[in-house]
Amino acid sequence: MWKLKIAEGSSPWLRSLNGHIGRQIWEFDPNLGSSEELAEIEKLREQFSKHRFEQKHSADLLMRLQFTKENPNTTILPQVKVKDIDDITEDKVTDTLRRAISFHSTLQAHDGHWAGDYGGPMFLMPGLVIALSITGALNATLSKEHKREICRYLYNHQNSDGGWGLHIEGPSTMFGSVLTYVTLRLLGEGANEGDGAIEKGRDWILNHGGATAITSWGKMWLSVLGVFEWSGNNPLPPEIWLLPYIIPFHPGRMWCHCRMVYLPMSYLYGKRFVGPITPTVLSLRKELYTVPYHEIDWDKARNECAKEDLYYPHPVVQDILWASLHKFAEPVFMNWPGKKLRDKALRTVMEHVHYEDENTRYICIGPVNKVLNMLCCWVEDPNSEAFKLHLPRIYDYLWVAEDGMKMQGYNGSQAWDTSFAVQAILSTELVEEFGPTLKKAHTYIKNSQVLDDCPGDLDFWYRHISKGAWPFSTADHGWPISDCTAEGLKASLLLSKLPAQIIGEPLDAKRFYDAVNVVLSLQNAEGGFATYELTRSYSWLELINPAETFGDIVIDYPYVECTSAAIQALTSFKKLYPGHRKEEVERCIEKGVKFMEKIQATDGSWYGSWAVCFTYGTWFGVKGLVAAGRSYSNCSAIRKACDFLLSKQLPCGGWGESYLSCQNKVYSNLEGDRSHVVNTGWALLTLIDAGQAERDPLPLHRAAKVLINSQCENGDFPQQEIMGVFNKNCMITYAAYRNIFPIWALGEYRCRVLRTQ
């Protein structure tokens, strides 16, 4: 049976700053589990598979099953249902909240964080399996139980047409289909196995033009495997790392996720590395194409892309650039004397790869560069210590649920979810009842703050300061993020106002000052906040975005979410520490407010870039303005935002927004105009903050009714459609949102709406 283990790391090849706090890994123990428990798990798997086309998102039931047994819920209150808004009372809302927080507390790990699924994208696991196959570490790293669960996941998320999407809820794409097909074959599935699923997948690929039409990232992965020629790739010259930083398209100016992915890609491209040509590789060369492999026009293939994948088509200027580099620059770099420059560039690239590895304890910023960096370390030296240090950190990215084993989009969302959970619980004013939960969460937040900057010359390594920041996941990961720092700071400040005997000792004021220093350092000149760093270049650089599947990846853009979170954190800090950098803090808040007002859409909404979508962005927009002192009466932006949200409220009283809002940038309801507890929570929080209760509380009562009646018998809330997003086109799971935001919204509703009436 699979078991989730928390904050453990016994391997001598693992490094940690704080005893692996926040680490969450799944291990298989053949001796674990009674026959009843194993039968229950199989039932959950069968139910998911049976309904996989109607409900594509797993509900994280294996973790819930484990934690329910390890942390039994002692608060048993009857389920609350209300027939109409006249039935809603403070007592009923309080009972709903007690049931919800009691259940959510059972999901809290012993180190204080909330573990959960952060999967969704379908292109992550293939990179791992390809890299492990090339390095010969596949069988040593992934047991037969790992492989079985990975295959289960891939089969479960095959679309009815035979293909696989970019993410679990998306339509079939060449990128998702080819890489998933290749992964299944490398895991030992035969070309005609899987009850016809493999054959069906191959038919989808061939019927849509074959693997030459895969996206550029897919071309790269197929090339290192040996089932695509490097001449069919657009250039990724490592020499770009030798250019002076003053040039606008220097990689050091790019968004860190972009540069950290293209850094190892450029190494593999520069070396034209190809793994061992095995019988499976030779067979794949026959299976993936509509013409014989030796007849493929690889120059033509460089710019081929299936229409299903084409979210960001290459502009003409980009095609001219790649063709020029391919035909004129690459022949120079591949031959003497230009090869000397290529060798120097490759050494420079590997210096940056090793710096990233060492300063994230070999977790790396994300799963794509994690696997690519690991492969580069092996290519550089198959017996290197760096490669051995990479291997045990693979498990930090793997998650098991009833739909199988997936690779997550990060090593988790631990710090982010914990900061939100604290604020949600505090909103209910049930602090004394849930003191132990808050105390453990407080401990995690304190333990996950980054205590030092990265070593060396930060400018040389293109890194921002990080001392005092909070990461998205764990201190060992360590990359500083503006909104994660802001939410960590907000939660810590709120907790510092409570008695130490309930929630433990507060953070030292110096650590608050360090966090504020990070926040202030991340504001751009126009007032907005980007994610990890300042915006270092120009938006026109998106012209050279080579990733056909993703939008806005080249630079770190400012966002309403990051800007609002920073404003909220600084206003909270200013109340408790009014004398610390007073003028800078006030100036930062005002500049942030002007930026948010400037980017509001004409319909009153804000586009949310990190979750679905306008309900999320508008929550941040209004919450930031209110924190800065704006109100419905004195701010037209807030009035417009309220009008927008009220216009989207469904007849049932809730809100339900589809991921299509993100990719199409137009508000889209879920199919069938169904409500979603997370969107409803965001909208209810927004309207309460904007003073809707004083004008007309009816929309608030209707939304509260939806949330109350959505609660499950055990106090959980249902897992509905996917709610996270990145780069406009790829969705990702936030498993804790279904609990956090109904709690938060009903907490605010209880204390700020019902009590005032």
Side-chain angles (χ1 to χ4, degrees), residues 280-295:
T280 302
V281 168
L282 291 173
S283 183
L284 285 168
R285 288 182 176 182
K286 297 176 183 176
E287 297 167 31
L288 293 173
Y289 300 101
T290 57
V291 298
Y293 189 78
H294 66 277
E295 294 181 11

Side-chain angles (χ1 to χ4, degrees), residues 216 219-220 223 228-235 269 302 326:
S216 57
K219 288 174 166 63
M220 183 278 307
S223 296
F228 203 95
E229 295 300 307
W230 279 111
S231 57
N233 288 253
N234 278 320
Y269 174 83
R302 282 190 305 107
H326 179 72

Side-chain angles (χ1 to χ4, degrees), residues 246-464:
I246 195 171
I247 293 175
F249 54 83
H250 187 283
R253 294 181 174 274
M254 295 176 181
W255 183 39
C256 54
H257 274 284
C258 180
R259 73 170 179 267
M260 286 300 170
V261 165
Y262 283 103
L263 173 74
M265 279 188 184
S266 71
Y267 181 80
L268 296 169
Y269 174 83
K271 291 189 77 74
R272 301 297 197 275
F273 170 78
V274 180
I277 305 302
T278 65
T280 302
V281 168
L282 291 173
S283 183
L284 285 168
R285 288 182 176 182
K286 297 176 183 176
E287 297 167 31
L288 293 173
Y289 300 101
T290 57
V291 298
Y293 189 78
H294 66 277
E295 294 181 11
I296 294 171
D297 183 343
W298 294 109
D299 189 54
K300 180 184 175 185
R302 282 190 305 107
N303 293 312
E304 276 189 44
C305 184
K307 69 179 189 304
E308 292 79 7
D309 296 64
L310 206 56
Y311 183 72
Y312 183 81
H314 288 180
V316 175
V317 65
Q318 195 177 135
D319 290 338
I320 294 170
L321 173 64
W322 302 143
S324 301
L325 289 171
H326 179 72
K327 293 178 179 176
F328 304 114
E330 277 304 308
V332 173
F333 293 138
M334 292 297 289
N335 296 284
W336 190 90
K339 195 172 185 307
K340 287 189 174 182
L341 190 63
R342 169 63 46 99
D343 292 340
K344 180 182 179 182
L346 292 172
R347 288 192 298 271
T348 299
V349 164
M350 284 309 296
E351 286 176 9
H352 285 274
V353 165
H354 292 312
Y355 186 84
E356 157 72 348
D357 291 346
E358 290 161 9
N359 285 289
T360 58
R361 276 51 63 186
Y362 289 81
I363 298 169
C364 300
I365 195 171
V368 178
N369 86 311
K370 156 69 183 173
V371 172
L372 286 167
N373 281 15
M374 181 179 74
L375 181 57
C376 289
C377 290
W378 184 86
V379 173
E380 184 185 44
D381 179 3
N383 298 310
S384 67
E385 181 178 277
F387 178 67
K388 294 170 185 172
L389 287 163
H390 263 291
L391 290 173
R393 283 299 189 182
I394 287 170
Y395 306 110
D396 294 50
Y397 282 97
L398 303 180
W399 188 264
V400 182
E402 66 271 21
D403 58 342
M405 177 173 278
K406 59 208 77 177
M407 192 169 191
Q408 301 185 106
Y410 225 75
N411 66 321
S413 51
Q414 297 91 317
W416 180 251
D417 289 341
T418 303
S419 295
F420 271 162
V422 164
Q423 294 174 74
I425 295 170
L426 291 177
S427 77
T428 68
E429 297 184 6
L430 299 173
V431 172
E432 291 192 6
E433 293 183 44
F434 297 100
T437 299
L438 289 168
K439 187 174 185 178
K440 281 166 51 177
H442 192 199
T443 300
Y444 185 79
I445 291 171
K446 289 187 287 188
N447 285 331
S448 60
Q449 189 180 19
V450 180
L451 301 181
D452 293 293
D453 291 328
C454 289
D457 181 353
L458 297 183
D459 289 338
F460 177 81
W461 300 109
Y462 315 116
R463 292 293 291 263
H464 197 81

